[in-house]
């Protein structure tokens, strides 16, 4: 039996952060031994919000270094740049022909972006989900490791796949599923207690894998807390629950239990909790940061990885595109 195909990507808009890591990259690494994996750097998608990025290749390299530092192996997974695969763009065009304005305008991430930046509501932003569908379906992937915020985009991918299949009377495309960790799709909260980590406007609330220990400590010590529990076993307010969520991903279960017990007995001191969280966070981030630094300076190695990935990705993409063109009726 052939292996399931996995595909996912991360945009190079700043350094990789804890949300990217636990929402996506950690699962890329976990899946590379079991499946036929395609992991790319979404450097076309960056233009939807950063139309003149200036250093797009440098930004993409930083993501690649983080991929390798986290344990992705270019011999096992196909690792490539989205912009090295023009076949994706042709598939994007075909999907756009059958994507409707109403459904694209209803996408939550589109509505958020319109609110945040009303002066740059471009067609690329509107068709973000069709480009994402093309990324995934160009390899006929069935599993897509992503964080919770991408759930709706995956739903749209299934819609476009299904619509294509029924319009052209084919079963060419699978209906891919969003995959999280064993406990489901992950959302890593921001340190200020508001929303998810990694929003571009929230750098002080985001822990990057490239943050130095002193920066990590400072960000955590500044995280928002309340006045403390007044009754045993009371429900935690969002900003406190968020600190516990972060603790659950970087600390031991015993540490989490210890502070949970203190909270439930109304004996917690948030300063102690933050100090422990900061140390556990530094212990988690620091080895990754060191490896990212080392790899970032090895340009020949990064280029070799990207060249190899491009060749493997194009072999898969040209096969799919030939079938797509044939079912629509184009000459191959
Ligand atoms: P991007 O670059 O915004 O985020 C990359 C991945 O990181 C996850 N993530 C989070 N997960 C949990 N908590 C957070 N705070 C958090 N912040 C980010 C995202 O869910 C995502 O999995 N559209 C994608 C990039 C993309 C893509 C694709 C993904 C383009 N084409 C095809 C999969 C398949 C994006 O914006 O990711």
């Amino acid at each position: 039996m052939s292996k399931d195909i996995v595909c996912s990507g991360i945009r190079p808009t700043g350094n990789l952060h804890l949300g990217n890591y636990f929402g996506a990259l950690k699962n890329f690494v976990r899946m590379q031994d079991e499946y036929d994996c395609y992991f790319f750097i979404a450097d076309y998608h960056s233009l939807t919000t950063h139309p003149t990025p200036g250093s797009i290749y440098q930004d993409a390299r930083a993501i690649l270094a983080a991929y390798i530092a986290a344990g992705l192996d270019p011999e096992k997974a196909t690792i490539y740049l989205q912009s090295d695969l023009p076949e994706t763009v042709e598939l994007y065009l075909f999907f756009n022909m059958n994507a409707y304005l109403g459904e694209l305008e209803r996408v939550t991430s589109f509505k958020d972006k319109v609110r945040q930046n009303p002066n740059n509501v471009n067609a690329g932003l509107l068709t973000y989900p069709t480009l994402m569908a093309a990324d995934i379906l160009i390899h006929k992937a069935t599993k897509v490791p992503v964080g919770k915020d991408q759930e709706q985009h995956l739903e749209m991918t299934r819609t476009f796949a299904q619509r294509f299949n029924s319009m052209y009377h084919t079963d060419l495309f699978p209906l891919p599923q969003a995959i999280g960790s064993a406990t489901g799709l992950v959302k890593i909260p921001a340190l200020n207690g508001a929303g998810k980590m990694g929003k571009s406007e929230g750098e002080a609330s985001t822990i990057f894998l490239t943050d130095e220990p002193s920066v990590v400590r400072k960000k955590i010590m500044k995280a928002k807390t309340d006045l403390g529990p007044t009754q045993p076993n009371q429900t935690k307010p969002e900003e406190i629950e968020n600190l516990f969520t972060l603790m659950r991903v970087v600390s031991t279960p015993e540490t989490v239990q210890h502070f949970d017990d203190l909270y439930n007995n109304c004996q917690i001191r948030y300063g102690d909790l933050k100090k422990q969280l900061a140390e556990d966070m530094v212990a988690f981030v620091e080895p990754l940061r060191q490896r990212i630094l080392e790899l970032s300076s090895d340009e020949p190695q990064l280029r070799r990885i990207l060249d190899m990935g491009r060749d493997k990705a194009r072999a898969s993409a040209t096969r799919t595109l030939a079938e797509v063109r044939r079912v629509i009726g184009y000459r191959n």
Side-chain angles (χ1 to χ4, degrees):
M1 215 178 78
S2 64
K3 283 186 192 172
D4 261 310
I5 299 174
V6 174
C7 176
S8 192
I10 297 179
R11 277 175 309 156
T13 49
N15 281 311
L16 233 103
H17 55 77
L18 226 58
N20 296 143
Y21 182 83
F22 287 104
L25 185 49
K26 186 175 178 210
N27 293 321
F28 297 1
V29 176
R30 181 174 62 85
M31 294 175 103
Q32 67 180 340
D33 289 311
E34 209 179 325
Y35 302 106
D36 187 3
C37 291
Y38 294 86
F39 297 125
F40 61 95
I41 297 158
D43 58 350
Y44 280 143
H45 271 111
S46 294
L47 296 188
T48 60
T49 51
H50 300 69
T52 51
S55 58
I56 189 78
Y57 177 60
Q58 294 311 316
D59 297 347
R61 258 171 117 257
I63 304 292
L64 176 63
Y67 276 9
I68 306 299
L72 275 188
D73 179 349
E75 299 289 338
K76 292 180 185 165
T78 299
I79 302 170
Y80 64 98
L81 287 181
Q82 189 184 31
S83 62
D84 273 342
L85 205 63
E87 290 77 9
T88 306
V89 183
E90 190 173 340
L91 189 57
Y92 168 57
L93 177 138
F94 293 140
F95 285 149
N96 275 336
M97 297 299 174
N98 304 320
Y100 303 113
L101 183 60
E103 63 187 345
L104 294 169
E105 279 177 334
R106 278 195 299 276
V107 175
T108 312
S109 60
F110 176 71
K111 289 194 284 193
D112 287 347
K113 294 276 157 49
V114 171
R115 224 173 295 128
Q116 285 158 14
N117 200 350
N119 297 324
N120 185 25
V121 185
N122 60 71
L125 203 56
L126 181 73
T127 56
Y128 192 112
T130 54
L131 181 53
M132 203 164 142
D135 290 328
I136 297 166
L137 293 169
I138 196 76
H139 302 300
K140 298 190 181 177
T142 50
K143 293 182 177 359
V144 187
V146 283
K148 187 146 185 55
D149 59 327
Q150 299 298 314
E151 208 171 9
Q152 193 182 23
H153 289 154
L154 261 293
E155 220 175 279
M156 305 270 310
T157 299
R158 288 190 291 276
T159 301
F160 298 136
Q162 178 113 59
R163 190 174 293 157
F164 185 97
N165 287 351
S166 81
M167 286 181 92
Y168 299 106
H169 311 290
T170 171
D171 57 1
L172 206 155
F173 289 121
L175 305 184
Q177 296 293 331
I179 304 288
S181 66
T183 51
L185 296 174
V186 174
K187 177 188 162 189
I188 301 292
L191 283 170
N192 62 2
K196 64 166 183 165
M197 184 175 281
K199 284 206 182 148
S200 45
E201 68 272 25
E203 298 232 329
S205 303
T206 298
I207 307 233
F208 296 98
L209 298 186
T210 44
D211 280 345
E212 289 182 16
S214 61
V215 175
V216 171
R217 290 193 182 97
K218 209 186 302 141
K219 285 180 178 174
I220 291 184
M221 295 316 286
K222 278 195 175 159
K224 200 174 156 205
T225 48
D226 66 352
L227 293 173
T230 50
Q231 286 168 22
N233 303 315
Q234 78 185 55
T235 310
K236 298 182 185 80
E238 197 179 6
E239 63 268 26
I240 305 303
E241 186 55 48
N242 287 350
L243 292 178
F244 275 91
T245 299
L246 292 172
M247 207 168 221
R248 264 180 238 117
V249 295
V250 293
S251 304
T252 63
E254 293 74 31
T255 303
V256 179
Q257 188 65 51
H258 170 72
F259 284 99
D260 203 36
D261 290 344
L262 288 174
Y263 185 88
N264 287 329
N265 301 332
C266 303
Q267 288 174 332
I268 193 151
R269 294 203 325 221
Y270 290 135
D272 294 344
L273 174 132
K274 287 185 186 175
K275 260 189 218 138
Q276 180 71 48
L277 177 59
E279 289 323 303
D280 292 343
M281 190 66 78
V282 167
F284 173 78
V285 170
E286 191 51 16
L288 278 171
R289 187 178 78 89
Q290 293 292 348
R291 259 178 281 152
I292 292 172
L293 275 180
E294 264 166 52
L295 285 158
S296 300
S297 59
D298 193 348
E299 176 66 17
Q301 158 89 336
L302 296 179
R303 272 190 190 277
R304 259 197 311 277
I305 293 172
L306 289 179
D307 287 349
M308 186 166 94
R310 176 200 55 210
D311 294 345
K312 286 201 277 176
R314 288 196 79 175
S316 149
T318 45
R319 270 197 308 273
T320 306
L321 201 56
E323 285 181 80
V324 168
R325 290 177 61 100
R326 185 173 45 75
V327 299
I328 298 177
Y330 288 105
R331 185 173 84 89
N332 264 321

